[in-house]
Amino acid sequence: MSLASWRRASPFQGLGVRSRLMIAFVILASSSTLLALVGWTGLSNTDTAFKEFEQQALPTILQSLALAERTANLAAVAPYVANTSSPSMLSELNRSLEEKINQVLDLSVQIPQLEEAAPNLQPLLNQLELTITELMGLTRAHLLLREDVRQYEYSLNQLRDELKVLSQSASIEPLSLTLFVLFDQLNQALYLDDIEAIEELETTFSAQFFSFKHDDVHRPLSTLVSDLKTLGIADSNLFRQRIEQVELQQRRAFLLASTRAISNQLSLEVKDFVDQVQQQITHQSQRMGLAVNSGKTGILMIALLCFTAALAGIWIVRELTESLGRVTAVMSRLAKGDTLLPTPAIERRDEMGELARAFAVFRENAVAIDSMRQDLQEQSHLLETIFNHINDGLSVFDQQNRLIAWNPQYAAMLDLSEEELHKGMSIEEVYARLSVEAQEGWALNGIMLNRDEVNQLRQQSTQRFERNFPGGRVVEFRSNPMPEGGFVTLYSDLTERKAIEAQLRQSQKMEVLGQLTGGVAHDFNNLLAAMFGNLQLLGDHLAADSPAAVYAHRALAAADRGRHLTQRLLAFSRKQYLQPEVVDVNALIEGMLDLIEYSVGDGITLQLALEADPALVSVDPSQLENALLNLSINSSAAMQGSGQLCFETTYEPLAMLNGERQAVIRICVRDTGCGIPDALIRRVFEPFFTTKEIGEGSGLGLSMVYGFVKQSQGDIQIRSHVGQGTEVDVLLPCEMALPNPSTEPETVSPLMLGQGQRILLVEDDPQVGQMSQDLLEGLGYGVVPVTGAEQALSVLQSDQSVALVFSDINLGSQWHGLALQQHLAQLYPELPVLLTSGLHPFLLQQRYGLTEEVAFIAKPYSREALAAAITQLIFCDPKEHHEPTEN
């Protein structure tokens, strides 16, 4: 018979839901009541049997467990007694032990079956009590004896210390050695645990002590020998004390073993008693099991009856709730968003059918409402995400320029608080709360904008402009009109990007200038090399007091100024050749005060606040002086001949420099001049930038200072306020100590002349080559001039008398000087090579790989420098001839 046909034939089909549920509940209630009666009866019988068990067996079980526990605790006291280290603690253990023994004896009396089941328990307890009592006595004696031994050990250590002091005297050294041996024997007795070994050591000590010549003992040792006799020879000496101490330890070990044996016997006695009690419990449990089984049988029969009644009730309720479950499932799916399932039980004519039809109407309405709610929720979520999670500020103004919406970043961008903004405030009210710097807007090309005109255009077309805020912050405004009127604006902080762009421009300018000055310096140095050499040669042929010699000296001085000009050009790109040394900044500033006072004029007052301690930095002192002098001259120009110029130095142990925390010296140059406007302060370090009239300044001074500081691993900062003055901070890494001064006096080496050694000169510039040849010949060397590396190799193959190769690095061909030097190092490893160039060594390292191991002299060079370099290479390791190596 199918479920559907059963439902059609069911006698409850015509009844309502309430009637059918009442019938099912009556059947289940009747069955449950009958089951409760049977269960009550069974539990009562079980409770009676359990009370009998509790009255007869449980007291005996508890007393047996307590007896076993207290017996084990009593046996466990013995190791604590043996190991106690204090008399007071020993007394406390004695009282505790007596209490535990009395408790065990009292408990044994309370158990009536114990005397028959465990007759040996009482004698064993008495024996254990006697053993532990003896162990306590031995422990107390051992504690007293241990204190005596410790007193001996303390006296022994004091005598040893006295002997060490007295043994420093040479007159008693042999006697002290013998006494040290006796001290060692006494010390050994402290750590021996063998009685025979201690007795043997005592015999040895006595023999050696009495063989000791007491008449030879000097007065300082007489008292010490007497004390030593007391420790080792007296009746109660250290050896006797140690033997007694070891005997006590052995007796305590025997008593501990006895305690363990008695404890094991007690455990066996208690175990036998517990086994008998367990048999009684088992018998009683069997009786309780019979009562429980009878109750189980009755409950099982009634349970089967209840189960049958429950099945009938479930069958009835299932038919009623099946339709309700399907409707509920459809409701649950509808709550989760599933609107496609059909509504069940609509055809029913009872309450279930009415519920299903009402739900169908409700579902149609819910689907429509949910669709509208979802659309609104998505739009609201989108707007909330845009407003609250973008990094830029956002504001919306209506057609009347009233604020209607904004996000938290909007107030932060404008330096306003949330309390200052409210819905409906006009844009003019917003402008009134801005700082003075942010009142005006600037186009991207730097032109100031009209505020009213911009606000009108913002509702018509896209507008982009910038505003400046305090602290140098720049905010970009990007406004777009809205179709219904008004405009929406995005606010972006461009401060970091502007700073990066400025740094990039400065870096690009310095890079281009570095390339330019590097090339110019090379050409200048070649020209200056020819001038230097020829002027020195010319001076050799002129009388010292002749007008021509004066003219030649002036020309040589001008060439030297040209060399310094080249170094200044290299300073713009931070590639000048520095000679750093550890300098005391405070002393350097004090030493150049006269020069600064002369440079700035009489109307300017100099102030010093040299507080740095330490004030040591590793820099080129002449370059640092030039930098400070340049800053002083700039300050003087800003103060127009009247004001205060202050030099201040401070030591900062944890300043941020070059991206890391380190100790620095801060040199602050502060003036009371006119100050520098914010629009110009970013450009002060740019090469050739100046606010002076044409002919009054080149704009290179601060660029030189910037290049020198950066190349010295430092940093430079500038702060200025118009009408208040300017502060320039130079930060340099701090050195903690001056280098150790040389103990040998410096000697000036005389100019050494050659003895006709042949030098191969490789130079592609004719003027420099001719000058170098004349200089070398004037120094007493023979010169073989060539213009390229190929010619040099050809000469070396045919001429075996070349003592040195003097070559330019930039030879204008694929063979440069470094390549020639490396090639010669393989062919002629003993042949010295001296290189020269007008380029800076930094550029030579980048382009050609010049290293410090290669002999090098920079152009322009003087005759003395050239002579010293050649002398170092030829005469330190003389080699008149060379032979090629095998390749």
Side-chain angles (χ1 to χ4, degrees):
M1 185 176 184
S2 63
L3 180 61
S5 59
W6 183 89
R7 288 174 180 171
R8 288 192 295 268
S10 176
F12 303 102
Q13 187 66 30
L15 297 176
V17 174
R18 180 179 179 183
S19 301
R20 283 180 280 181
L21 288 176
M22 288 297 296
I23 294 174
F25 287 151
V26 169
I27 295 174
L28 290 175
S30 301
S31 302
S32 299
T33 302
L34 183 60
L35 179 62
L37 291 175
V38 175
W40 177 268
T41 303
L43 290 175
S44 298
N45 295 334
T46 304
D47 181 65
T48 302
F50 180 76
K51 286 182 178 179
E52 294 178 358
F53 173 76
E54 183 179 14
Q55 293 175 356
Q56 297 178 4
L58 283 182
T60 304
I61 293 173
L62 295 176
Q63 291 172 350
S64 301
L65 293 176
L67 179 62
E69 179 184 2
R70 293 177 182 178
T71 303
N73 291 337
L74 184 63
V77 173
Y80 289 100
V81 172
N83 295 327
T84 184
S85 59
S86 171
S88 60
M89 186 182 298
L90 187 64
S91 300
E92 183 67 25
L93 287 175
N94 187 14
R95 289 192 297 271
S96 176
L97 183 62
E98 291 178 356
E99 293 177 359
K100 293 180 182 296
I101 293 176
N102 293 332
Q103 290 176 357
V104 172
L105 294 176
D106 294 342
L107 186 61
S108 62
V109 174
Q110 296 176 7
I111 303 176
Q113 303 92 337
L114 184 62
E115 185 176 357
E116 298 179 359
N120 297 324
L121 183 61
Q122 187 70 30
L124 288 174
L125 289 173
N126 296 331
Q127 185 178 357
L128 179 61
E129 180 183 9
L130 295 175
T131 302
I132 294 179
T133 302
E134 183 181 359
L135 181 61
M136 285 186 179
L138 290 178
T139 301
R140 184 177 292 103
H142 179 265
L143 291 176
L144 298 176
L145 187 58
R146 185 184 65 181
E147 294 299 322
D148 295 339
V149 172
R150 285 181 177 176
Q151 182 63 33
Y152 275 105
E153 182 179 4
Y154 175 75
S155 301
L156 184 62
N157 290 334
Q158 283 188 328
L159 293 178
R160 180 182 292 274
D161 293 338
E162 295 177 5
L163 180 58
K164 287 182 179 179
V165 176
L166 295 175
S167 64
Q168 296 178 359
S169 174
S171 60
I172 62 172
E173 181 177 358
L175 300 177
S176 63
L177 293 177
T178 304
L179 292 176
F180 272 121
V181 172
L182 295 176
F183 273 115
D184 289 338
Q185 292 175 356
L186 288 172
N187 190 60
Q188 291 178 16
L190 292 174
Y191 302 101
L192 290 177
D193 292 329
D194 187 0
I195 295 177
E196 295 181 358
I198 297 175
E199 292 176 346
E200 182 179 354
L201 190 62
E202 180 182 12
T203 303
T204 303
F205 178 84
S206 299
Q208 291 184 358
F209 181 83
F210 288 112
S211 64
F212 182 67
K213 295 180 179 181
H214 299 83
D215 297 336
D216 296 336
V217 175
H218 291 264
R219 185 175 185 83
L221 291 177
S222 59
T223 303
L224 189 144
V225 171
S226 176
D227 294 338
L228 186 64
K229 180 178 180 181
T230 301
L231 290 175
I233 305 300
D235 294 337
S236 180
N237 57 47
L238 177 62
F239 298 103
R240 296 291 94 197
Q241 296 285 348
R242 284 291 297 145
I243 291 173
E244 183 178 357
Q245 190 177 25
V246 173
E247 289 176 350
L248 288 177
Q249 291 176 352
Q250 293 177 353
R251 178 60 182 172
R252 286 198 306 165
F254 171 76
L255 292 177
L256 284 175
S258 301
T259 302
R260 295 189 188 97
I262 296 172
S263 175
N264 292 333
Q265 293 180 9
L266 284 172
S267 300
L268 292 176
E269 289 292 327
V270 174
K271 181 178 180 301
D272 293 339
F273 176 70
V274 171
D275 291 340
Q276 296 179 11
V277 174
Q278 184 177 6
Q279 292 178 359
Q280 297 178 1
I281 294 172
T282 303
H283 179 70
Q284 189 70 20
S285 298
Q286 291 177 355
R287 291 179 56 192
M288 292 179 62
L290 294 176
V292 171
N293 289 334
S294 61
K296 288 181 179 180
T297 303
I299 291 175
L300 179 60
M301 294 177 61
I302 302 301
L304 291 175
L305 178 61
C306 291
F307 181 71
T308 303
L311 286 178
I314 290 172
W315 189 265
I316 297 172
V317 173
R318 180 173 177 271
E319 192 277 330
L320 296 175
T321 58
E322 183 177 356
S323 297
L324 181 61
R326 286 186 291 162
V327 174
T328 303
V330 174
M331 290 182 177
S332 300
R333 297 293 296 273
L334 177 62
K336 295 178 181 180
D338 188 356
T339 60
L340 301 178
L341 292 178
T343 303
I346 293 180
E347 71 282 356
R348 293 176 65 103
R349 299 302 176 186
D350 54 8
E351 295 90 341
M352 296 299 299
E354 294 178 0
L355 177 62
R357 288 187 289 272
F359 172 70
V361 176
F362 168 77
R363 184 175 65 172
E364 293 177 358
N365 295 333
V367 169
I369 294 174
D370 184 69
S371 178
M372 291 186 293
R373 180 190 59 80
Q374 186 174 1
D375 292 341
L376 293 174
Q377 185 177 7
E378 291 177 356
Q379 294 180 6
S380 176
H381 180 71
L382 178 61
L383 290 175
E384 184 179 359
T385 302
I386 294 174
F387 266 64
N388 296 327
H389 294 86
I390 61 174
N391 294 327
D392 295 338
L394 178 66
S395 68
V396 181
F397 287 84
D398 59 11
Q399 293 179 343
Q400 288 74 35
N401 288 336
R402 292 193 299 265
L403 182 64
I404 58 176
W406 66 94
N407 67 345
Q409 287 76 11
Y410 169 70
M413 287 287 181
L414 300 184
D415 286 339
L416 301 176
S417 62
E418 290 287 345
E419 293 75 12
E420 294 183 85
L421 301 177
H422 59 85
K423 192 173 182 180
M425 67 185 304
S426 66
I427 194 170
E428 293 299 331
E429 292 177 325
V430 176
Y431 284 150
R433 288 170 170 79
L434 297 180
S435 60
V436 178
E437 294 89 337
Q439 291 291 332
E440 301 296 339
W442 300 83
L444 301 183
N445 56 5
I447 300 176
M448 184 181 294
L449 302 176
N450 183 278
R451 187 168 65 189
D452 297 333
E453 182 180 352
V454 170
N455 291 336
Q456 184 178 0
L457 293 175
R458 291 166 81 175
Q459 300 202 28
Q460 300 173 6
S461 61
T462 300
Q463 298 293 318
R464 294 182 61 184
F465 55 94
E466 298 175 353
R467 292 185 184 275
N468 298 321
F469 286 81
R473 196 162 57 89
V474 180
V475 177
E476 181 186 29
F477 287 58
R478 289 175 291 173
S479 296
N480 291 279
M482 294 189 298
E484 65 277 6
F487 56 91
V488 60
T489 306
L490 281 175
Y491 305 83
S492 302
D493 192 337
L494 303 183
T495 306
E496 184 175 356
R497 191 180 78 183
K498 292 283 186 180
I500 294 174
E501 290 175 353
Q503 294 177 3
L504 178 60
R505 288 194 299 269
Q506 177 73 1
S507 176
Q508 291 172 344
K509 291 177 183 178
M510 297 303 292
E511 182 65 25
V512 172
L513 185 60
Q515 296 176 1
L516 174 63
T517 54
V520 171
H522 174 263
D523 295 337
F524 271 27
N525 285 332
N526 275 333
L527 295 175
L528 292 172
M531 294 172 62
F532 256 76
N534 286 304
L535 289 171
Q536 291 183 87
L537 292 172
L538 179 61
D540 294 339
H541 295 82
L542 297 175
D545 55 351
S546 64
V550 176
Y551 301 150
H553 180 72
R554 290 176 182 174
L556 189 61
D560 187 62
R561 288 197 299 271
R563 178 171 62 87
H564 286 290
L565 176 61
T566 304
Q567 296 299 322
R568 292 175 66 188
L569 288 174
L570 290 173
F572 304 150
S573 58
R574 293 184 290 167
K575 294 181 175 64
Q576 80 272 30
Y577 179 69
L578 299 179
Q579 295 178 339
E581 59 184 75
V582 179
V583 178
D584 188 330
V585 176
N586 293 341
L588 183 142
I589 295 175
E590 292 175 346
M592 60 181 299
L593 281 180
D594 294 341
L595 179 60
I596 296 175
E597 289 177 350
Y598 175 77
S599 301
V600 301
D602 297 335
I604 295 177
T605 304
L606 289 181
Q607 294 182 351
L608 297 181
L610 308 179
E611 300 177 355
D613 185 18
L616 304 178
V617 295
S618 179
V619 295
D620 188 325
S622 62
Q623 293 292 341
L624 180 57
E625 289 178 350
N626 290 337
L628 296 178
L629 185 60
N630 208 324
L631 293 175
S632 301
I633 294 173
N634 285 348
S635 296
S636 174
M639 290 184 289
Q640 298 180 356
S642 176
Q644 291 182 352
L645 177 61
C646 178
F647 288 85
E648 178 182 338
T649 63
T650 56
Y651 169 70
E652 299 181 6
L654 292 175
M656 181 62 70
L657 182 62
N658 298 327
E660 62 181 16
R661 296 284 182 182
Q662 56 180 304
V664 302
I665 300 299
R666 182 184 295 272
I667 307 173
C668 178
V669 181
R670 184 186 304 110
D671 63 56
T672 58
C674 59
I676 304 173
D678 293 339
L680 301 180
I681 199 170
R682 306 172 189 171
R683 303 185 60 191
V684 294
F685 295 124
E686 294 183 5
F688 309 111
F689 173 78
T690 179
T691 58
K692 300 178 181 179
E693 298 294 334
I694 297 177
E696 295 183 1
S698 62
L700 298 178
L702 287 179
S703 298
M704 291 171 47
V705 176
Y706 180 84
F708 157 70
V709 172
K710 287 297 184 180
Q711 190 175 359
S712 301
Q713 308 302 319
D715 192 15
I716 185 169
Q717 302 170 353
I718 185 168
R719 299 179 299 277
S720 183
H721 300 281
V722 176
Q724 299 180 12
T726 303
E727 293 184 8
V728 179
D729 290 339
V730 176
L731 283 76
L732 296 172
C734 180
E735 297 289 335
M736 302 312 296
L738 286 169
N740 294 327
S742 176
T743 57
E744 298 182 359
E746 296 184 358
T747 59
V748 179
S749 301
L751 182 64
M752 290 190 63
L753 300 179
Q755 301 173 0
Q757 292 90 344
R758 294 174 61 80
I759 295 179
L760 179 59
L761 176 62
V762 187
E763 176 61 65
D764 62 334
D765 191 313
Q767 294 181 352
V768 179
Q770 185 61 49
M771 177 275 301
S772 301
Q773 181 177 352
D774 294 341
L775 278 180
L776 292 172
E777 290 176 349
L779 292 173
Y781 297 101
V783 181
V784 181
V786 295
T787 59
E790 295 84 354
Q791 298 177 17
L793 293 175
S794 178
V795 170
L796 289 173
Q797 290 178 358
S798 60
D799 190 349
Q800 304 296 318
S801 62
V802 174
L804 180 138
V805 176
F806 182 33
S807 174
D808 189 12
I809 292 180
N810 188 3
L811 297 176
S813 64
Q814 62 179 2
W815 277 83
H816 53 77
L818 263 299
L820 176 62
Q821 183 268 339
Q822 295 170 359
H823 191 62
L824 292 179
Q826 297 178 358
L827 295 177
Y828 313 107
E830 300 297 328
L831 177 63
V833 178
L834 176 62
L835 299 179
T836 184
S837 177
L839 286 176
H840 188 270
F842 179 79
L843 295 177
L844 293 175
Q845 180 183 1
Q846 284 187 330
R847 296 182 184 179
Y848 304 107
L850 178 67
T851 61
E852 295 181 356
E853 290 76 12
V854 178
F856 175 79
I857 182 172
K859 293 180 181 179
Y861 45 80
S862 64
R863 176 170 49 188
E864 290 76 9
L866 180 61
I870 295 175
T871 300
Q872 179 69 23
L873 293 175
I874 292 181
F875 294 100
C876 290
D877 186 14
K879 182 68 178 179
E880 297 295 337
H881 301 283
H882 64 270
E883 295 181 359
T885 58
E886 295 183 359
N887 292 329

